[in-house]
Amino acid sequence: MNIRKIITIFFLILINISALKAQDLSDAMKMHFMLDGNGKVTLSFLGKQYIEPSNIGLIVKDSQIYEPMSVKETNGSIAVRYDNSSWVTLDKKEREDGSVRLEVLSCSNDIDAFIFGPYVCPETKEVGELVGAAWHEDGSSVCIQALNPKTQGECYIQSDKVSYNPGFLNVVYKNNPSFTIPCMNVAGKSSDGKYVLSCKVVNMQKPFIVPLTVTGMKNVLIDPLSAPEGNIEGAAIILTCASDADDLLSRISKIETEEGLPHPMIGDQWAKVSPHTNDIYLVFESGDIDTQIASAKRAGVNWIYFNNPFKSWGHFEINEDMYPGGEKQFAETIKKAHDNDINIGFHTLSNFIHSYDPYVSPVPSSELLSFDDTKITRSISEDDSVIYIKEALNYDVKQNLSSVRIGNEIIRFGKFDKENLCLVSCNRGAFGTTASSHRKGETITHLVDNGYGTFFPSIKLQNEMADRIGTLIRDNDIRRMSFDGLEGCRCTEYGRYADASFIERIYKIAGRNLISDASQGFHYSWHANSYYNWGEPWYDYKRRGGMYNYRASNLNKFKRNLLPGMLGWYCIFNSDGRREATSPDAMEYMVSRTIAFNAGLCFQIGVPATDRLNEYFDIINLWQKFKYEVNVSDSIRDLMKDERSDWHLEKKGEKWQLSELFVTDYDMTYCDRFVMTESRNTGYMASDESLKQSAHRANIVIDRSSYDNRIPFISEPFHCRIRVGTPQDHGKIHNVSFSPGWYGATILLSFDVTANAGEYLEYKGGTTLYRYDKDFNLIEKVEGKGHELVVDGSTLCGFTINYDIVDELPGQQPLVPMLKYFRTKQVFIF
């Protein structure tokens, strides 16, 4: 053999080895789904196992659970046999990306439910319980996706043998009573601590008994659902693997579009990946559309949200007090907003029905939700206040409205007399219905209601309501909504199917231009809801929005479920006797968290348009621009996440200046006392006998000796704000002056000013004092005598604030001034 042939053969061997290596690498990158003859599934990806041997599916029959006994696969059709002679046939399709689609083609009639899996995921770090992903340390994942509303998450497989219903699948594992998999969502932990993925479908084609419902009622017969909604056939999932979060989002996006799942868009971008999904949006309680548009533009936001434009929930007719021209004027209003590049959304409680809606009054719908039907045992006239019934049923279950329907009359009863089987203290012809006589033997229906004073629909009426909402959205080009109160759908007792089908019907009509959130999140709603915005503004106002830890903890849930970050609702308050008005620093506190957590939020505007409100819109606008123009480092974001931290933002020329502040409150009282300073040492606030002559003094001690290393010694104008008591106090502050140090005799700066109880006095530097009303609207600027107050970089410095309190009367609420002091810790320039 000559040398050329040897070299040629050598290169051919190298080429073949390289090809084998490339083939091996490509093969390792693929997802491999394997099924053995005993019905055990394994799944590997990236060269490692993502699902260890797990049942391809379990069945439920007569409250017992059964594993596969044998499996035979032929041309993508999987025949599964169980030890009770039941069977299920699955269709298996491998997709281009290696994902596997499983669908129930047929099954024996005796099956009550089918469970996909549970698929056990080894070496899992955490799970995305809503999206259905099991995450590994390297960011890769295995994910289950249910493909229609009846394929539900939330399997509860418990050892106690009880009957089950579609919402809460409680079963016992045959021959192994200790077998438990409490998978709270589509992804969760099993009893042995391993993470599992699972979905279920329930046979709802036959009546079933509910042992304990969402409403608290017992032993209620639920009507069957016809095919295809009610049967097991057609339930389907996809199992897929992804190398990282972006890869998984890409795969799910393709699944949604190919399978016809909700796929909300913002412009030409999927809402799950659009940077504008978690933009700030505004909810207006009042005001005309022109003012609202102008406010949104000033705030730099593109979303206006109508809190409730409806006359009533149920028919969702437009409120003519707000829109005299009805839906036509409503549509014109939305078009005007769109012409100004503002999108419109609305809020409602999903399937709640107002007691004054046409579904209730004057003629109640026969489809109002009820679980108990019995007979009246005595005829009654239109005036009778006692009604005798045949059975007790659930009349002892306390409800808000305590209502029954007989024919076209709704009756409220005071209480149920269980011994005599009668409803007493009955209010006839309730909710605008007509009191009538009723004959013995007529049906009496116990209606289901809610603490909001609303009724619920049957599943049939719920579909009608969903179609109305979807049509309203489509016809008026509405682009945002909340499925608030979504848990009300579960009162129908069809489990998550009821929630999911409600959402599905709306989206099929409304189209892809609708983004939404909801009061609850679950697997199917993950597709429809582009985000969740949980967190309410009604609590702990001193921390400027309240619920901080709850809001922050939600961000972790959103992250592991591939959802855009949202911080919930905040409110701009006026002073109302219970809380202070929202201050400028409180506004910055709230909006700065959008940078800290890379998240959005909602502002509810319940105050009239003022210069102060416009100032707050400017603050929103500034921080929104900063969010999109500046890449803030993770180290700075971590500082900003601290609940106690405060931040101030300015744009100076082409540069952004982000300042970390120390902000503290303490009261300016009439007696000697110690107070905590910013360095956590005690400073001294003092008064003397001159207090009795209404001469008051407060000392601001700035102790720098114990600062942590990151707080620089900088000189800056002194900044403080005095709250002149509360609006309920009596008295005024007069003649405010500043002296150096403790009990300084020299007056550095003085102001001839009088401020009433509830007002604010703020000094920000220079020689000007700002006087605000109780809602932070500017009353006047007062020029002082003296020179600017500066806090230098020395270790210890301070000021004495002198003031008079006048017009106090014995026995009245005394004036208790409060002081807020602001100091810069450090500055970041971008």
Side-chain angles (χ1 to χ4, degrees):
M1 183 180 293
N2 60 38
I3 191 66
R4 178 174 293 180
K5 287 183 179 179
I6 293 173
I7 292 173
T8 301
I9 292 170
F10 177 70
F11 273 111
L12 286 173
I13 292 171
L14 283 179
I15 290 170
N16 288 333
I17 291 173
S18 298
L20 286 171
K21 286 184 177 180
Q23 183 179 348
D24 290 342
L25 181 62
S26 174
D27 191 56
M29 291 294 289
K30 287 182 180 179
M31 181 182 127
H32 291 277
F33 177 94
M34 290 164 282
L35 175 66
D36 67 20
N38 296 319
K40 301 295 184 183
V41 166
T42 56
L43 191 151
S44 60
F45 177 66
L46 297 174
K48 62 181 179 180
Q49 193 175 75
Y50 279 72
I51 292 177
E52 64 184 35
S54 306
N55 291 306
I56 189 170
L58 308 174
I59 64 166
V60 180
K61 180 184 176 184
D62 299 328
S63 299
Q64 291 187 333
I65 194 165
Y66 298 87
E67 287 185 294
M69 293 294 292
S70 65
V71 167
K72 184 177 181 181
E73 184 174 359
T74 307
N75 298 324
S77 179
I78 301 173
V80 189
R81 295 281 176 182
Y82 297 86
D83 65 358
N84 65 346
S85 301
S86 299
W87 54 272
V88 173
T89 301
L90 300 171
D91 177 62
K92 172 193 161 193
K93 284 187 173 63
E94 289 195 17
R95 294 158 49 86
E96 291 182 3
D97 60 1
S99 304
V100 172
R101 186 185 192 278
L102 298 175
E103 179 177 351
V104 179
L105 290 180
S106 59
C107 62
S108 51
N109 294 330
D110 57 352
I111 294 176
D112 296 321
F114 178 77
I115 299 169
F116 290 95
Y119 306 114
V120 182
C121 308
E123 301 180 20
T124 301
K125 175 186 176 184
E126 63 177 354
V127 292
E129 65 273 35
L130 304 180
V131 69
W135 297 101
H136 284 240
E137 191 71 42
D138 61 2
S140 62
S141 63
V142 57
C143 181
I144 189 172
Q145 291 286 287
L147 303 182
N148 47 48
K150 70 180 178 183
T151 311
Q152 306 171 43
E154 297 191 328
C155 285
Y156 297 75
I157 306 172
Q158 302 177 358
S159 59
D160 296 327
K161 183 176 179 180
V162 295
S163 57
Y164 75 95
N165 67 64
F168 308 97
L169 183 60
N170 302 313
V171 297
V172 61
Y173 182 48
K174 185 175 175 61
N175 299 326
N176 188 359
S178 64
F179 181 78
T180 61
I181 301 183
C183 182
M184 300 298 290
N185 284 282
V186 69
K189 267 189 178 180
S190 65
S191 57
D192 61 1
K194 290 187 177 181
Y195 287 103
V196 298
L197 305 177
S198 182
C199 287
K200 72 169 184 283
V201 56
V202 176
N203 182 358
M204 294 183 284
Q205 284 192 292
K206 58 183 181 181
F208 50 90
I209 299 293
V210 175
L212 184 63
T213 76
V214 177
T215 60
M217 296 183 177
K218 301 177 181 179
N219 299 319
V220 175
L221 184 67
I222 304 300
D223 292 332
L225 288 178
S226 59
E229 292 86 0
N231 61 348
I232 291 177
E233 290 85 351
I237 64 162
I238 284 178
L239 289 170
T240 190
C241 290
S243 58
D244 55 30
D246 290 339
D247 183 23
L248 183 55
L249 279 171
S250 177
R251 289 167 182 261
I252 294 176
S253 176
K254 193 172 182 181
I255 289 170
E256 287 184 355
T257 54
E258 291 180 356
E259 295 289 341
L261 295 169
H263 190 71
M265 305 286 287
I266 297 179
D268 59 356
Q269 200 167 22
W270 185 30
K272 284 292 193 304
V273 298
S274 170
H276 298 292
T277 301
N278 62 355
D279 282 350
I280 292 174
Y281 60 98
L282 305 178
V283 175
F284 287 97
E285 294 293 315
S286 60
D288 61 89
I289 188 62
D290 292 322
T291 301
Q292 293 172 356
I293 289 171
S295 298
K297 284 182 173 291
R298 183 153 188 168
V301 303
N302 299 108
W303 299 92
I304 290 177
Y305 196 77
F306 297 150
N307 198 23
N308 184 19
F310 305 113
K311 186 185 303 182
S312 63
W313 302 330
H315 277 72
F316 300 102
E317 296 172 333
I318 300 302
N319 188 342
E320 293 180 354
D321 290 337
M322 298 173 62
Y323 303 96
E327 191 166 332
K328 180 180 178 182
Q329 184 178 352
F330 183 62
E332 291 170 351
T333 299
I334 294 172
K335 185 178 185 305
K336 178 181 282 190
H338 289 167
D339 291 342
N340 285 274
D341 297 322
I342 305 293
N343 297 301
I344 295 295
F346 71 85
H347 174 272
T348 185
L349 289 181
S350 298
N351 74 334
F352 291 48
I353 301 175
H354 277 133
S355 60
Y356 46 87
D357 185 81
Y359 284 132
V360 178
S361 177
V363 178
S365 169
S366 61
E367 293 296 333
L368 291 177
L369 187 63
S370 66
F371 286 143
D372 282 340
D373 287 350
T374 186
K375 306 291 183 180
I376 60 175
T377 57
R378 300 183 189 180
S379 296
I380 57 173
S381 70
E382 62 268 23
D383 298 322
D384 284 334
S385 61
V386 178
I387 303 174
Y388 289 87
I389 60 176
K390 184 178 180 181
E391 300 168 281
L393 300 176
N394 283 287
Y395 281 97
D396 56 344
V397 176
K398 180 65 176 174
Q399 293 210 86
N400 185 60
L401 298 179
S402 297
S403 299
V404 296
R405 180 178 61 82
I406 308 177
N408 289 332
E409 180 186 3
I410 294 179
I411 303 164
R412 297 187 69 181
F413 60 94
K415 66 176 184 178
F416 173 56
D417 183 342
K418 193 170 185 178
E419 288 186 8
N420 296 300
L421 286 180
C422 62
L423 311 178
V424 298
S425 301
C426 293
N427 176 20
R428 304 297 301 277
F431 309 115
T433 62
T434 301
S436 307
S437 60
H438 301 284
R439 299 171 69 88
K440 175 183 176 180
E442 283 192 47
T443 298
I444 181 170
T445 298
H446 193 184
L447 299 178
V448 180
D449 65 61
N450 180 268
Y452 284 102
T454 56
F455 293 105
F456 287 115
S458 68
I459 195 74
K460 178 181 177 182
L461 185 55
Q462 178 177 292
N463 291 341
E464 186 176 313
M465 292 169 63
D467 291 347
R468 164 60 182 161
I469 294 173
T471 301
L472 183 77
I473 292 168
R474 179 196 64 199
D475 293 350
N476 295 283
D477 200 9
I478 295 168
R479 298 175 186 173
R480 192 181 205 121
M481 77 163 288
S482 283
F483 290 90
D484 199 3
L486 189 60
E487 60 274 14
C489 297
R490 296 179 66 193
C491 288
T492 62
E493 293 305 328
Y494 293 101
R496 285 299 183 193
Y497 165 77
D499 307 51
S501 63
F502 184 74
I503 291 173
E504 181 193 48
R505 291 183 78 96
I506 290 175
Y507 265 91
K508 281 191 173 180
I509 297 173
R512 289 187 172 182
N513 287 333
L514 177 69
I515 67 171
S516 69
D517 67 338
S519 58
Q520 291 191 349
F522 57 97
H523 184 52
Y524 188 88
S525 71
W526 185 94
H527 298 287
N529 300 147
S530 302
Y531 62 97
Y532 296 103
N533 199 24
W534 298 323
E536 297 184 356
W538 319 114
Y539 315 100
D540 189 21
Y541 71 91
K542 288 185 178 180
R543 290 309 302 158
R544 297 157 287 186
M547 303 183 77
Y548 190 90
N549 291 332
Y550 172 73
R551 298 173 191 269
S553 66
N554 281 335
L555 272 296
N556 295 324
K557 182 171 187 174
F558 300 153
K559 183 178 180 181
R560 66 178 180 262
N561 283 289
L562 304 181
L563 291 161
M566 295 296 281
L567 286 162
W569 285 45
Y570 290 91
C571 190
I572 298 177
F573 290 112
N574 275 347
S575 175
D576 61 5
R578 185 168 67 91
R579 59 171 67 86
E580 285 188 77
T582 302
S583 63
D585 50 289
M587 277 297 298
E588 285 213 286
Y589 177 88
M590 292 183 283
V591 185
S592 67
R593 269 51 200 173
T594 65
I595 305 300
F597 294 100
N598 190 26
L601 54 80
C602 157
F603 274 114
Q604 185 170 355
I605 315 297
V607 299
T610 59
D611 289 340
R612 166 241 183 177
L613 187 57
N614 284 331
E615 176 188 347
Y616 292 177
F617 290 145
D618 292 341
I619 290 173
I620 294 171
N621 195 335
L622 188 70
W623 282 90
Q624 280 271 92
K625 289 179 179 177
F626 182 66
K627 174 184 175 182
Y628 285 108
E629 291 183 16
V630 177
N631 183 19
V632 179
S633 67
D634 289 340
S635 60
I636 295 177
R637 290 185 195 272
D638 288 340
L639 290 176
M640 298 180 75
K641 289 176 183 177
D642 185 345
E643 181 183 3
R644 297 165 297 178
S645 68
D646 286 84
W647 301 82
H648 175 65
L649 182 66
E650 293 182 71
K651 184 74 180 287
K652 294 189 174 183
E654 296 300 315
K655 297 290 186 180
W656 290 95
Q657 180 174 302
L658 178 65
S659 301
E660 183 185 7
L661 305 179
F662 180 88
V663 180
T664 189
D665 295 273
Y666 44 90
D667 56 20
M668 301 161 64
T669 55
Y670 303 112
C671 58
D672 295 345
R673 67 180 302 176
F674 286 93
V675 297
M676 192 70 68
T677 68
E678 58 187 274
S679 64
R680 299 296 185 262
N681 293 333
T682 54
Y684 192 59
M685 275 198 327
S687 61
D688 54 31
E689 288 299 316
S690 63
L691 291 176
K692 297 177 182 178
Q693 286 75 46
S694 297
H696 297 77
R697 175 186 299 123
N699 294 97
I700 309 301
V701 181
I702 304 162
D703 179 4
R704 304 306 302 275
S705 60
S706 302
Y707 275 14
D708 61 55
N709 294 330
R710 63 187 176 85
I711 303 178
F713 289 80
I714 62 174
S715 295
E716 63 180 339
F718 179 62
H719 183 187
C720 71
R721 184 171 68 232
I722 300 170
R723 190 191 77 183
V724 187
T726 72
Q728 290 74 41
D729 293 344
H730 293 275
K732 302 177 182 180
I733 278 185
H734 183 58
N735 293 331
V736 176
S737 64
F738 297 85
S739 302
W742 295 0
Y743 308 106
T746 305
I747 301 297
L748 300 176
L749 183 61
S750 65
F751 298 93
D752 182 9
V753 64
T754 299
N756 300 312
E759 295 179 349
Y760 298 87
L761 296 173
E762 186 164 13
Y763 176 75
K764 309 176 187 179
T767 57
T768 303
L769 187 71
Y770 297 84
R771 178 184 167 209
Y772 299 96
D773 70 10
K774 63 185 179 65
D775 295 320
F776 284 99
N777 295 302
L778 182 65
I779 299 174
E780 61 176 332
K781 298 178 182 179
V782 181
E783 282 302 312
K785 295 179 181 179
H787 59 78
E788 181 178 54
L789 306 176
V790 175
V791 180
D792 62 26
S794 63
T795 300
L796 185 67
C797 62
F799 296 102
T800 298
I801 303 176
N802 308 287
Y803 56 96
D804 297 332
I805 293 181
V806 296
D807 294 341
E808 285 192 330
L809 297 175
Q812 293 182 324
Q813 180 69 29
L815 189 70
V816 182
M818 296 290 295
L819 184 77
K820 187 181 286 284
Y821 164 65
F822 304 83
R823 185 72 200 269
T824 302
K825 283 186 175 182
Q826 57 185 331
V827 176
F828 302 94
I829 305 296
F830 300 92

